[in-house]
Amino acid sequence: MSNSMFTAATGMEAQNTRIAVIANNLANMNTTGFKAARAEFQDLLYQIEKSPGSEQATGVVRPNGIQIGTGVQVVSTPNMMNQGNLEQTARALDVAIEGRGFFQVQLPSGETGYTRSGSLAINGSGQLVTQDGYLLIPSVTVTTTNTDRTIGVDGTISSTNPTDGTVTNEGTLQLASFPNEAGLRAAGGTIYLATEASGSAVTGTAGQDGVGELQQGFLETSNVNMAEELIRMILAQRAFEMNSKVIQTSDQMLSATNQIR
Amino acid sequence: MTTTSGKVAAFQQIRVIANNLANMNTTGFKSERLLFEKAVAKQHMQFRGTQFESDVDSPGSINSRSQVAIRGSFTDFAQGNIENTGNPLDVAVEGEGFFVVQTPDGERYTRAGNFSLDESGRLVTQNGFAVQGSGGDISVSGPHVQVSPNGEVKVGDSTVATLRVVQLDPKTAERESALVFKANGAVSDVTEVRVKPGALETSNVNAVRELVDMIAASRLYDSFQKTEESIGTMNRLRNQQVGSLEG
């Protein structure tokens, strides 16, 4: 009898999770390189029950039992790795990835992090770092006195000596790709970590073997679609209300049962 | 007591509705519906003194055989709405048919097309079942994965596999968790695969109908409850009167 209440409770919890995912998406609408997540649901086990009293009264053969489900669960919250829009900033150290792939960064913990956020800077030692100060892998040291730094679509960084006009190749930006990008784990600050589900990183040159190209002077905006998220939020809210009505109705029936004299 | 069967039936209806509503936002979910049967009582008996007399539907007689019968439940395979997501790995079946997935318990069938890739690049469902194409598992290695409207899975310009879409016998299909169905009858591949890439089929639960059915079940439950209470009252009165006659 209270089964329907537990079933409805799973529904409410699932919608709560969905709202939490949507809230995070909306909070990161303007975060460079952010990838929206989506909560995926699936139903739980079914029980086959016989219906009471149907054998004797009517003499009609019951075709099958009643398949009663036990609710819903969140099976995964994958990130949607669709490309975000490219926004022109005209800043020489802003690089956007057009296509698949991630920049590799050295995290303080020693792990390798992966990010789409290509807003780069130069640290005190002349190395290219992210806005958080994480070193790029492979690390690139630039000649700080040079000007007119260009980053080609294949990741080649070159700059010009202002005094004699010589062009120096300062290194190459490498990208890493994964068999299953959606399986990466978001570790905050637009950093993703490799997991079992994502597979191992495959490093490569930008523009080759299916890896995306680099666009200097652009940043990839978040791929959150505000209208879709708001619609999903409304649907989740309605579903939450419906499930709470089931709990109310079950509760009324249970309390009526308890009042039999 | 016959009203017990009616109350259990009402509760079963509530439980089926509860599962439908819990899954009203689940991609590819199909609602479950109960088949009620109008219970026709074969005989009505009227108790007068110590005699039993057959009677046909006389008012005020105690129906000792009337019950609410549930014939069973069936899955409503009506198509849900198609929602565009723009995600290249999302696919929706247009019209009838099911995707084929391989599970540890054998081949199963599903309408939920929110596919993903596993760590080796195989096309899988959200909980890891391998989606079956014309040649078994579908392995995708490379960028620009796309599904064409005729079910071909393409990496770049080359076709890697064609999605299998099959027809099931709705009467014998048995539902299991994780949005899959087990076919106990014949399974046949459709002649022409028609899918919508970049889209998902939403749950086909109609929340308004479920709520209305839930209110009806709740009222039915109440009426059985009241019948029980009045029978209880009548029994008490009868016991008192019989007792006083013999006294």
Side-chain angles (χ1 to χ4, degrees):
Chain A
M1 294 196 178
S2 52
N3 312 23
S4 54
M5 291 170 81
F6 286 121
T7 303
T10 67
M12 290 168 81
E13 279 177 42
Q15 301 310 325
N16 266 343
T17 304
R18 170 162 278 170
I19 297 248
V21 168
I22 292 170
N24 190 50
N25 287 346
L26 286 175
N28 283 289
M29 265 192 60
N30 284 330
T31 307
T32 304
F34 180 81
K35 298 298 173 195
R38 191 170 77 183
E40 303 282 10
F41 299 146
Q42 71 185 21
D43 47 2
L44 295 172
L45 292 174
Y46 286 86
Q47 299 165 336
I48 310 287
E49 285 196 5
K50 292 156 72 86
S51 55
S54 60
E55 291 106 325
Q56 47 159 326
T58 58
V60 174
V61 174
R62 201 168 29 87
N64 51 8
I66 305 171
Q67 300 177 107
I68 303 190
T70 46
V72 67
Q73 67 173 352
V74 177
V75 61
S76 60
T77 52
N79 295 310
M80 298 291 108
M81 302 312 271
N82 307 331
Q83 175 93 32
N85 288 329
L86 294 188
E87 178 193 342
Q88 187 159 24
T89 64
R91 183 174 166 267
L93 288 179
D94 281 344
V95 198
I97 306 173
E98 200 170 5
R100 285 175 87 216
F102 295 80
F103 295 113
Q104 302 164 94
V105 294
Q106 187 72 42
L107 299 176
S109 58
E111 281 177 290
T112 307
Y114 303 92
T115 182
R116 296 277 293 190
S117 174
S119 187
L120 304 175
I122 303 177
N123 71 1
S125 325
Q127 296 165 310
L128 279 184
V129 294
T130 65
Q131 292 294 332
D132 293 313
Y134 303 142
L135 283 174
L136 285 183
I137 301 172
S139 97
V140 175
T141 311
V142 302
T143 319
T144 46
T145 49
N146 279 5
T147 57
D148 290 331
R149 188 155 286 110
T150 57
I151 303 177
V153 292
D154 60 353
T156 320
I157 311 167
S158 46
S159 59
T160 315
N161 188 323
T163 45
D164 58 11
T166 51
V167 175
T168 332
N169 182 326
E170 291 169 322
T172 316
L173 289 175
Q174 249 194 9
L175 293 182
S177 61
F178 293 87
N180 178 21
E181 292 188 338
L184 291 167
R185 183 161 60 90
T190 68
I191 300 285
Y192 292 94
L193 296 172
T195 65
E196 267 186 27
S198 65
S200 319
V202 173
T203 53
T205 321
Q208 290 178 10
D209 299 324
V211 178
E213 290 181 344
L214 295 175
Q215 298 289 344
Q216 183 187 23
F218 285 87
L219 283 181
E220 185 187 17
T221 58
S222 144
N223 70 352
V224 172
N225 181 329
M226 183 173 73
E228 268 184 37
E229 299 294 329
L230 286 180
I231 291 173
R232 290 217 182 93
M233 190 164 68
I234 293 173
L235 291 175
Q237 187 187 1
R238 291 282 164 248
F240 186 91
E241 286 172 11
M242 299 287 179
N243 281 294
S244 70
K245 281 215 163 27
V246 173
I247 294 188
Q248 275 176 12
T249 307
S250 307
D251 183 36
Q252 279 166 12
M253 288 161 76
L254 270 178
S255 69
T257 311
N258 284 340
Q259 286 164 20
I260 294 181
R261 294 182 300 111
Chain B
M1 198 64 232
T2 57
T3 52
T4 312
S5 69
K7 286 163 78 174
V8 173
F11 259 119
Q12 283 180 330
Q13 169 77 310
I14 297 281
R15 286 167 66 196
V16 169
I17 290 172
N19 189 55
N20 287 344
L21 285 177
N23 282 287
M24 62 182 274
N25 261 345
T26 305
T27 303
F29 179 81
K30 296 296 166 199
S31 61
E32 190 80 3
R33 308 203 52 75
L34 285 184
L35 257 182
F36 282 96
E37 191 160 38
K38 275 205 182 292
V40 178
K42 294 271 191 218
Q43 277 185 310
H44 291 175
M45 310 263 204
Q46 189 148 349
F47 183 69
R48 282 202 196 92
T50 55
Q51 286 179 5
F52 283 99
E53 283 180 20
S54 281
D55 206 341
V56 180
D57 208 353
S58 87
S61 63
I62 299 172
N63 286 337
S64 62
R65 292 280 181 91
S66 63
Q67 324 181 27
V68 172
I70 299 182
R71 290 198 65 173
S73 70
F74 66 96
T75 307
D76 181 3
F77 285 109
Q79 174 128 19
N81 288 329
I82 305 279
E83 174 198 346
N84 282 323
T85 63
N87 208 25
L89 292 182
D90 286 343
V91 204
V93 178
E94 278 196 328
E96 293 182 4
F98 294 79
F99 296 114
V100 182
V101 296
Q102 193 67 32
T103 75
D105 297 321
E107 207 173 77
R108 294 288 187 269
Y109 312 93
T110 183
R111 293 281 291 194
N114 47 347
F115 299 141
S116 180
L117 298 176
D118 71 1
E119 68 274 3
S120 47
R122 268 189 327 176
L123 194 68
V124 293
T125 63
Q126 286 301 323
N127 63 346
F129 296 151
V131 180
Q132 299 296 292
S134 37
D137 289 0
I138 301 176
S139 258
V140 164
S141 52
H144 299 306
V145 183
Q146 271 191 329
V147 180
S148 64
N150 59 355
E152 288 177 6
V153 180
K154 290 189 154 104
V155 178
D157 287 325
S158 54
T159 304
V160 172
T162 309
L163 286 173
R164 267 188 75 194
V165 175
V166 299
Q167 295 257 21
L168 295 183
D169 177 15
K171 291 201 186 59
T172 55
E174 191 184 316
R175 65 191 310 164
E176 296 181 346
S177 65
L179 302 169
V180 296
F181 292 90
K182 182 176 165 192
N184 294 318
V187 171
S188 55
D189 285 60
V190 299
T191 41
E192 196 194 322
V193 173
R194 265 180 50 223
V195 297
K196 188 141 195 270
L200 286 179
E201 183 183 9
T202 58
S203 162
N204 74 351
V205 169
N206 182 332
V208 173
R209 185 174 60 186
E210 301 294 331
L211 273 188
V212 168
D213 284 349
M214 186 166 72
I215 293 172
S218 159
R219 296 274 168 258
L220 186 69
Y221 182 86
D222 284 346
S223 66
F224 280 120
Q225 175 90 329
K226 291 214 163 23
T227 308
E228 264 184 21
E229 285 173 5
S230 22
I231 289 174
T233 311
M234 286 192 283
N235 279 342
R236 272 196 302 279
L237 285 175
R238 181 195 60 196
N239 287 342
Q240 287 165 8
Q241 291 193 354
V242 169
S244 68
L245 274 175
E246 290 181 351

